[in-house]
């Protein structure tokens, strides 16, 4: 049986991004985060946002992600 968890299309384990570290796949500008939410990340379990999620709501999610404080190192 396959181990539980998320995997990309090549079978590599995918773990959720730790947003408190300030590293974002595809960039950290607001438009970069918007694109990740709107179109997803190809080849990974991150799907595109459903069409019912309107642009203002995607921008609310972007603002939420950017409001998450960084961890002190």
């Amino acid at each position: 049986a396959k181990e539980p968890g998320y995997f990309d299309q090549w079978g590599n384990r995918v773990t959720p991004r730790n947003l408190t570290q300030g590293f974002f796949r595809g960039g950290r500008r607001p438009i970069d985060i918007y694109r990740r939410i709107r179109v997803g990340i190809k080849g990974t379990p991150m799907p595109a946002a459903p069409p019912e999620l309107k642009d203002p709501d995607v921008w609310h999610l972007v603002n939420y992600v950017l409001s998450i404080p960084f961890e002190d190192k």
Side-chain angles (χ1 to χ4, degrees):
K2 187 175 178 179
E3 64 182 292
Y6 292 108
F7 298 87
D8 63 16
Q9 69 183 22
W10 303 279
N12 300 310
R13 179 177 282 287
V14 177
T15 56
R17 185 71 59 182
N18 181 348
L19 300 177
T20 65
Q21 293 179 341
F23 298 107
F24 301 96
R25 185 173 185 168
R28 118 161 232 95
R29 297 177 307 165
I31 191 65
D32 300 326
I33 297 168
Y34 171 90
R35 288 180 183 139
R36 292 290 157 257
I37 294 169
R38 178 52 71 202
V39 301
I41 301 174
K42 193 172 186 162
T44 73
M46 169 110 180
E52 301 84 36
L53 189 65
K54 301 301 180 200
D55 281 346
D57 294 321
V58 175
W59 283 111
H60 290 310
L61 289 170
V62 169
N63 289 325
Y64 171 73
V65 167
L66 291 173
S67 76
I68 297 172
F70 295 156
E71 292 177 341
D72 290 331
K73 302 266 178 188

